[in-house]
Amino acid sequence: MTFELPKPPVDDADPKALAAEILRSLRYRIGKDASVATQYDWLDAAIQVVRDRIIEHWISSTKQAYEEGAKRVYYLSLEFLIGRLMRDAFSNIGMLETMRKALAELKVDIDVIAALEPDAALGNGGLGRLAACFMESMATVGIPAHGYGIRYANGMFRQEISDGWQVELPETWLDHGNPWEFERRERAFGVGFGGSVESVTGEGGRLERHVWKPTDHVLAVAYDTPVVGWRGTHVNTLRLWSGMPVDPILLDRFNAGDHIGALAESNMADALSRVLYPADSHKAGQELRLKQEYFFSSASLQDILQRHISQYGDLSSLPDKAAIHMNDTHPAIAVPELMRLLMDVHVVDFDAAWDITKRTFAYTNHTLLPEALESWPVPLIDRLLPRHMQIIYAINAEVLLEARASHKFDDEGIRRISLINEDGERRVRMGNLAFAGSHSVNGVSGLHTDLMKATVFADLHRLYPDRINNKTNGITPRRWLIQCNPGLTGLVGKTIGEAFKDDITRLEDIDRFAADAAFREKFAAVKRQNKVRLANLVNERLGIKVDPSALFDVQIKRIHEYKRQLLNIVEAVALYDQIRSRPEKDWLPRVKFFGGKAAPSYHNAKMIIKLINDVAKVVNRDPAVRGLLKIVFMPNYNVSLAEVMIPAADLSEQISTAGMEASGTGNMKFALNGALTIGTLDGANVEIKDHVGAANIFIFGLTADEVAKRRAGGYDPRAVIEASPELSQALSAISSGVFSPDDPERYRDLINGIYDNDWFMVAGDFDAYAKAQRKVDALWRASPEWNAKAIHNVARMGWFSSDRTIREYARDIWNVPA
Ligand code: 26V
């Protein structure tokens, strides 16, 4: 018997009918009527109404993939930095404007309730946000895909600035419930830790297989969130695992008087999905982090295998029906876990299991920083995951056999290829493990991929020369243009028609309007509106008044020495010095915005935040500056703040030490929104320059090759500093306590790092950077030219859509239609 279910009842274009539906949702799902509804209730009710439509598409997308026997993509990531979902979902399904009107009928302001939605910060930075953009693009281009991760109860910490210092506070994004997620209690998998490995012998004492007997057990429970693509037709699933104890309390222990021990499993389960590690470069190192990695990898693989077997019966076809992608090495333990499941549970022999594994997995590398390359001590893996350690040894034996047979390596080469680093404490190199277990290993920009081949993976690349490939990152234009910049979206639509919304490369049609004075005026008016919005926010939050006609210069990203917020603030100090000493010059009004979080254990990054705030305090109050330079550190930078700051930027700071930023994706968001970039030839900046044209970007500084040469020897930062009076003065002002009279020694060590070593080439690039900034000033004065260049940037950034990136993954790595 089949039932015809009632579909969501009304015409989506009719605000009155939708308003009635919102009221019904409020009444029957939340149990309130309008007279007692809070703003949170309205938010919930509105989301539920749109969610119903999404669910229709979700179920049909899932069914269709099943019926077609389509190959599915599984994106394993410890981070999904999705931010707020309401506006995105409403906009993608084409209901944003009707919902605005429907809510207005009910005297509810959609912008007010939108601001109440918590920003789901289940990620640190670029890597996590990329995963979120990819999920949206996979839905948009219609690839059946599941994202797998952890449902952290506390995502990224909330940053407060107290007396200029970063303070970390827990963020509880689930406090008001989460209307987007569906708990799937029935979708729960056991995950074990510890214990020992037993051998099962068959006839004649022959070893048949190994059985791991863990001592500790937890359950991973699925929470599903629908991911809506553009136009809402295809909907995928983000499945996040939450830890649950197998038994809420171990009663036998409790009854024996061990009241604490009785809660051990419950506490472990809770800890697994409690916090996101708030470091994106520093060693996490802790046991809990490895447990999190295994917890979500194991649950995801069990889920994938169960789905595959129920549809296809056996696992030999897994590589044809499933592409499992590892977002960095964080899920690399999935490689030995799949091997274990195949060999020990599904009784596949090693060679066949290894073949299935390599054909199923692919791996993306997101950083070359040595301190961010994961490795785990052998004794730790041996204790937590003894069977996996055995399998890693077996894989290593296989890889080293192939390496020796190739005759390409001497003993040193073999040691570098080994999955085990034998220098000092023995550690498993997770990058080598992920590389060995994958048929594809990709970098995230052209330069980064070249450097991967030349540095960290040089030997593995020699052994497997077809494996490394490039997939330059992208960003979803739905969130990062259509949704966050309605002014520019509207102007573009009126000028060239709406087709660019379905094919973002059509933005090119706006290119010729750079020569049209009337269009440039309208473009500038949109930018100004966005700047006014930011100026109001700054005034509201910080009580700082900034002038929207000043140049808005923005650097927002994680605080890290290689990203060189220090170069930016040192240049600001030099500029401050010049404004004071030559007040008669017609200085250009500029506001320097900073935003970003420091890893809690990263001392120098925290000192840089304090320095920015110390400099701001002096500069912003100095009457001699006459408001010509303002410095603003925006606390708690997150996705939602990015959505306000990026459309308001005139100048985008992308100034990492060349060779160190794998790609950058903020750089793309700014250029798409009409900011000009000041940047080094690093990461995707190189490709941005190629696309927007060298005349429309401010490139400065040492290249990656030049940085490497200097580091190799003969670079003398002291000589460079002495040769630059502006730099010398700025550094000695900071170092001698001009900005920290309460503690004159505060920045001694930070600045000495530049004199003594200057690993990040702050001194090495200072003059080139300052010179580029004066070119920025000159162009800003010639405003029609500035606007023309900004329009060229918007027009030529379509290639950086994550739809393009995803289509490349689909074609070259996953072998799925897109
Ligand atoms: C490493 C670690 C080390 C252990 C502690 C926790 C933790 C968390 C994350 C990471 C890896 C971070 C790598 C990363 O975020 N890379 C960024 O990836 C972006 C997307 O590809 C890219 O645009 C940025 O340039 C790159 O820095």
Side-chain angles (χ1 to χ4, degrees), residues 79 126-127 279-280 282 284 289 330 366 444 473 562 661-665:
E79 305 190 10
L127 167 146
D280 65 348
H282 268 223
R289 167 83 181 185
H330 314 153
H366 292 272
V444 290
N473 283 166
Y562 85 80
E661 188 70 271
S663 160
T665 44

Side-chain angles (χ1 to χ4, degrees), residues 27 56 79 92 111 131 152 167 244 274 293 344-345 362 379 391 401 434 492-493 525 582 615 721 735 742 771 786 811:
R27 188 175 192 91
E56 291 300 324
E79 305 190 10
N92 273 6
D111 295 326
Y152 302 107
V167 178
M244 277 244 300
R274 169 65 52 189
E293 295 185 353
D344 300 357
V345 179
I391 293 171
L401 200 70
V492 170
R582 300 174 58 193
V615 172
I721 295 166
S735 178
D742 54 322
K771 209 169 130 197
W786 179 285
R811 182 192 65 203

Side-chain angles (χ1 to χ4, degrees), residues 571-580 618-619 622 625 629 739:
E571 202 274 330
V573 168
L575 184 60
Y576 169 59
D577 205 38
Q578 289 176 48
I579 294 174
R580 280 176 54 99
V618 172
V619 171
D622 188 339
V625 175
L629 177 62
F739 303 97

Side-chain angles (χ1 to χ4, degrees), residues 471-681:
K471 296 288 167 280
T472 299
N473 283 166
I475 55 171
T476 167
R478 271 73 64 185
R479 184 176 291 254
W480 297 111
L481 178 65
I482 295 176
Q483 194 255 102
C484 76
N485 200 342
L488 183 55
T489 304
L491 174 63
V492 170
K494 264 186 230 126
T495 312
I496 60 169
E498 305 292 324
F500 75 98
K501 293 181 179 170
D502 295 286
D503 173 8
I504 200 71
T505 61
R506 293 287 299 274
L507 276 176
E508 278 170 20
D509 298 348
I510 209 85
D511 209 40
R512 62 193 177 89
F513 288 89
D516 176 336
F519 181 80
R520 285 199 304 264
E521 289 302 315
K522 290 183 207 154
F523 181 86
V526 167
K527 180 63 82 182
R528 193 186 161 84
Q529 254 181 20
N530 293 335
K531 290 169 76 174
V532 168
R533 179 166 67 143
L534 176 58
N536 290 339
L537 188 75
V538 169
N539 190 24
E540 229 169 77
R541 291 206 186 156
L542 302 171
I544 302 177
K545 294 215 164 26
V546 298
D547 177 2
S549 53
L551 186 155
F552 278 17
D553 165 337
V554 185
Q555 187 171 21
I556 43 178
K557 49 183 79 245
R558 287 302 287 259
I559 311 293
H560 204 295
E561 287 163 283
Y562 85 80
K563 296 178 188 280
R564 295 200 296 191
Q565 284 91 356
L566 191 52
L567 175 60
N568 189 344
I569 196 69
V570 169
E571 202 274 330
V573 168
L575 184 60
Y576 169 59
D577 205 38
Q578 289 176 48
I579 294 174
R580 280 176 54 99
S581 56
R582 300 174 58 193
E584 73 292 347
K585 236 189 117 187
D586 65 334
W587 295 102
L588 183 81
R590 197 191 269 247
V591 186
K592 276 191 168 284
F593 292 93
F594 293 85
K597 293 173 183 174
S601 63
Y602 189 171
H603 178 258
N604 277 358
K606 291 182 135 176
M607 293 307 293
I608 291 168
I609 292 177
K610 175 66 173 162
L611 175 61
I612 294 168
N613 285 306
D614 274 350
V615 172
K617 199 155 84 181
V618 172
V619 171
N620 295 353
R621 283 182 194 168
D622 188 339
V625 175
R626 292 162 290 144
L628 291 168
L629 177 62
K630 285 242 164 108
I631 294 167
V632 177
F633 187 95
M634 290 292 278
N636 202 36
Y637 175 60
N638 59 10
V639 172
S640 300
L641 193 55
E643 288 168 6
V644 181
M645 294 184 79
I646 291 170
D650 296 306
L651 187 67
S652 156
E653 298 270 356
Q654 307 300 335
I655 60 176
S656 51
T657 313
M660 300 195 81
E661 188 70 271
S663 160
T665 44
N667 47 3
M668 302 169 189
K669 295 164 196 170
F670 280 102
L672 180 63
N673 283 276
L676 299 190
T677 303
I678 182 166
T680 47
L681 282 177

